[in-house]
Amino acid sequence: MPSPEDVRRVACVGAGVIGGGWVAHFLARGYDVTAWDPAPDAEARLRRLVDAAWPALEQLGLAPGASADRLMVTATLEEAVSEAQFVQESAPEKLDLKRELLAKLDSATPAGVVIASSTSGYPMTDMQTEAVTPGRLVVGHPFNPPYLIPLVEVVGGERTDPEAVRWASRFYEVAGKSVITMDREVPGFIANRLQEALWREALHMVASGEATVRDIDLSITEGPGLRWAIMGPMLTFALAGGEGGMAHMLDHFGPSLKSPWTRLEAPELDTALYDAVVAGCDDAADGRTIADLVAERDRGVIAVLRATGRLPGTGAE
Ligand SMILES: NC(=O)C1=CN([C@@H]2O[C@H](COP(=O)(O)OP(=O)(O)OC[C@H]3O[C@@H](n4cnc5c(N)ncnc54)[C@H](O)[C@@H]3O)[C@@H](O)[C@H]2O)C=CC1
Ligand SMILES: C[N+](C)(C)CC(=O)CC(=O)[O-]
């Protein structure tokens, strides 16, 4: 196992929205990247994604020597990982597929090299069942787009070697990410559990006609979302208590907040709710294509990262 600081070559397996985002991130941080994806149009899609991300990455500052030309798309999974010093798996979120793929990666990747899955919710314990050396399999859960959003959540499964978790956390830090290392498995990890709680309430309100999709989005972008890029929900609420901080905030508002806490069941994602959410998003896009929205989001995230002094580190230069 190389030390995390010495890694030069990374393999990305599965190259859609997230795998492609990882490829762009690792290239910008100066790594050689090999990628494999079974889709016939995968290479063209991947190169388009990297080209679209590159201006944003240039604005953030590329590591010395970083180049999109250091991407090699391989014909087979085995070629992609044969010389890799770290592997990031970003295949579709299907448990059987992940189990089989992680076992294949385990048998094709040099001994000792850590393999991380981008899964957004499966515990590694459930995914590492078919692998011969499950000790090196970890979850490295990113946020879209991985080339701009710093956070990665790292956690192992029951059969993961704790050293692999430590190694992966350190590697991601060297590669310019902000890392939360979890010492136990929680479905959805930390950030997705929080996002999903908000999403559940949003779906309830859309389903019952209490709010439109636009209302939901505006309520965050013009409201708490502005504060959350600076401080998390805990410190933000501590300020709601004035000089008394969180203790006063809980004494003052705790009892009245109990009622919003009680709507805990997930709403049924029936056709009516599905259609309302999809149509609401089309309406909110207001003629902007997905590519327009991606460019707008990237500009905004860079501005926030700059404004809050949180530009990523430099990686493998
Ligand atoms: N989309 C998102 O916002 C986020 C997704 N994730 C996770 O990232 C992973 C990938 O999700 P997306 O990129 O959104 O999906 P996607 O559908 O955009 O990309 C999946 C890619 O995997 C490829 N693929 C299909 N079968 C494969 C196989 N057997 N081996 C390797 N590649 C295969 C597909 O051709 C496709 O290019 C999932 O585990 C998902 O939960 C994590 C964080 C955020
Ligand atoms: C929607 N999602 C569950 C796939 C989202 C994530 O996993 C993280 C993100 O990018 O918000």
Side-chain angles (χ1 to χ4, degrees):
M1 203 190 286
S3 85
E5 287 77 7
D6 291 338
V7 171
R8 291 290 173 271
R9 181 180 291 272
V10 169
C12 293
V13 171
V17 172
I18 291 301
W22 274 121
V23 167
H25 176 77
F26 288 128
L27 288 171
R29 303 268 54 86
Y31 293 93
D32 291 311
V33 180
T34 50
W36 178 77
D37 186 301
D41 63 340
E43 178 163 3
R45 263 196 288 124
L46 172 58
R47 293 198 184 271
R48 273 201 305 277
L49 189 155
V50 171
D51 287 347
W54 209 254
L57 292 164
E58 281 174 331
Q59 275 191 59
L60 288 177
L62 300 175
S67 166
D69 294 341
R70 290 171 68 179
L71 167 63
M72 185 168 71
V73 179
T74 64
T76 64
L77 171 151
E78 287 74 14
E79 281 173 83
V81 300
S82 63
E83 291 179 30
Q85 294 164 304
F86 173 71
V87 177
Q88 183 79 40
E89 170 275 310
S90 308
E93 191 75 351
K94 293 184 186 142
L95 187 54
D96 287 349
L97 185 153
K98 296 274 197 200
R99 278 186 179 142
E100 197 184 318
L101 178 59
L102 287 172
K104 260 194 202 154
L105 287 172
D106 179 38
S107 69
T109 302
V113 167
V114 171
I115 301 169
S117 172
S118 295
T119 180
S120 48
Y122 293 131
M124 181 47 80
T125 296
D126 294 350
M127 296 192 295
Q128 64 191 170
T129 49
E130 315 297 321
V132 173
T133 52
R136 54 161 154 182
L137 300 180
V138 303
V139 167
H141 175 237
F143 291 78
N144 190 36
Y147 57 87
L148 287 185
I149 304 294
L151 184 62
V152 184
E153 296 172 306
V154 181
V155 62
E158 281 168 13
R159 298 169 69 205
T160 302
D161 180 345
E163 183 48 32
V165 173
R166 278 192 290 277
W167 189 97
S169 295
R170 178 65 194 143
F171 168 70
Y172 284 126
E173 279 168 7
V174 171
K177 307 299 286 184
S178 295
V179 179
I180 293 179
T181 306
M182 299 174 67
D183 62 8
R184 73 197 66 177
E185 293 183 288
V186 177
F189 321 116
I190 296 174
N192 267 354
R193 289 195 72 81
L194 294 171
Q195 292 198 113
E196 295 299 339
L198 188 139
W199 175 238
R200 180 190 64 231
E201 294 304 321
L203 291 181
H204 264 301
M205 286 191 270
V206 172
S208 59
E210 292 165 348
T212 64
V213 167
R214 269 181 198 259
D215 294 335
I216 300 287
D217 279 350
L218 204 70
S219 76
I220 298 300
T221 58
E222 293 296 307
L226 282 173
R227 300 188 303 221
W228 286 341
I230 319 298
M231 281 172 204
M234 292 294 187
L235 267 190
T236 292
F237 268 4
L239 300 187
E243 290 295 321
M246 180 56 95
H248 179 59
M249 139 75 194
L250 290 174
D251 293 340
H252 185 178
F253 299 106
S256 66
L257 290 178
K258 239 186 166 168
S259 123
W261 287 346
T262 54
R263 199 149 51 164
L264 289 177
E265 284 295 310
E268 192 57 42
L269 191 55
D270 58 17
T271 315
L273 177 55
Y274 188 99
D275 291 347
V277 171
V278 172
C281 285
D282 287 346
D283 181 42
D286 217 5
R288 290 168 296 177
T289 63
I290 292 290
D292 295 336
L293 292 168
V294 165
E296 189 176 321
R297 176 203 60 197
D298 286 6
R299 277 195 303 276
V301 172
I302 289 171
V304 171
L305 288 172
R306 237 189 244 304
T308 54
R310 294 210 301 267
L311 292 184
T314 49
E317 70 279 13

